[in-house]
Amino acid sequence: MTKRRKRHTPEEIVRKLRDADAMLNAGRDLAAVLQALEVTEATYHRWRNQYGGMKATEAKKLRELEVENARLKKLLAEAELDKAMLKELASGNW
């Protein structure tokens, strides 16, 4: 039986990283910490690189900016596609 994936919010990630730091400072080894947090080593290192010294509010703001950036990129791609179609129609090569 496979375990279902869980998407963590930025606040949860920052909290888990803070908990991991506390456990590591208390002398627990990394494997035990990862098992307690229920994440893989790759996930832990990815989170550490992305959310390392952030507070929960900063992580939430980062996620909101990433979503907004993705939305704007999609709008730009659609506008460029429309522009290319209009150029094609204007050139009369259809």
Side-chain angles (χ1 to χ4, degrees):
M1 182 174 179
T2 60
K3 191 170 184 180
R4 187 170 176 219
R5 288 182 55 155
K6 179 181 183 328
R7 295 260 180 204
H8 294 84
T9 65
E11 294 86 3
E12 291 173 332
I13 293 171
V14 170
R15 183 182 48 78
K16 284 190 174 200
L17 288 174
R18 194 171 299 125
D19 292 345
D21 287 340
M23 286 186 258
L24 288 170
N25 288 335
R28 292 181 70 179
D29 64 336
L30 184 60
V33 171
L34 296 177
Q35 188 174 16
L37 297 178
E38 298 177 345
V39 297
T40 65
E41 188 171 355
T43 300
Y44 171 75
H45 289 298
R46 188 178 68 244
W47 286 355
R48 175 67 58 203
N49 288 336
Q50 188 172 7
Y51 295 102
M54 289 187 185
K55 293 184 170 95
T57 56
E58 294 170 339
K60 184 176 180 181
K61 184 69 175 174
L62 174 66
R63 179 69 184 141
E64 290 171 355
L65 289 173
E66 288 173 347
V67 169
E68 178 70 10
N69 192 24
R71 188 183 70 79
L72 291 173
K73 283 182 179 182
K74 183 179 177 185
L75 286 174
L76 179 63
E78 290 172 355
E80 289 295 322
L81 183 61
D82 289 344
K83 189 168 77 172
M85 288 189 316
L86 289 173
K87 279 184 180 180
E88 185 71 25
L89 286 174
S91 68
N93 291 334
W94 50 283

